[in-house]
Amino acid sequence: MGRLKGIKVILVSKIESGKDPFGNAIYDKKNIEVNNVLIGQPTTDDITNSLNLYGKKAVYTLAIPKGDTNIWENQEVIFFGQKWRVFGKVTQGIENLVPLSWNKKVMVESYE
């Protein structure tokens, strides 16, 4: 049996770069490559809960590798040649107590 290995995804991070004349934030986008991200199907409960809590349908669940310090909430993600949007909170386990290489989980919805 082989080892589990994720794929590379592009996290499109919005970084505040200033304010417009009306005081609204201006954002620049920065593409960040994140390796070893597992992509899976959400459970029926995940789909139902995401619809009830956020009004959004979870299409995929991403498992984020341990040690990743990027901000994932409300960001765009590119994989499988498509854009997705992260929604909801990042679910995180205690790094030392979670087996394997992933300790965070986020859900994404279709964006395009």
Side-chain angles (χ1 to χ4, degrees), residues 33-47:
E33 290 184 0
V34 182
N35 292 309
N36 199 24
V37 176
L38 287 182
I39 300 172
Q41 295 178 329
T43 65
T44 304
D45 287 341
D46 287 341
I47 294 170

Side-chain angles (χ1 to χ4, degrees), residues 60-95:
Y60 287 109
T61 301
L62 308 184
I64 311 303
K66 292 179 180 177
D68 181 82
T69 58
N70 293 306
I71 297 171
W72 288 83
E73 293 176 11
N74 300 316
Q75 303 291 350
E76 294 174 23
V77 181
I78 302 170
F79 60 90
F80 297 155
Q82 295 179 323
K83 278 188 181 178
W84 309 90
R85 178 166 305 275
V86 176
F87 68 91
K89 295 286 186 183
V90 175
T91 305
Q92 182 173 348
I94 299 171
E95 194 167 308

Side-chain angles (χ1 to χ4, degrees), residues 21-38:
F22 298 105
N24 299 318
I26 299 173
Y27 293 97
D28 287 334
K29 292 184 177 183
K30 178 181 177 187
N31 289 349
I32 302 168
E33 290 184 0
V34 182
N35 292 309
N36 199 24
V37 176
L38 287 182

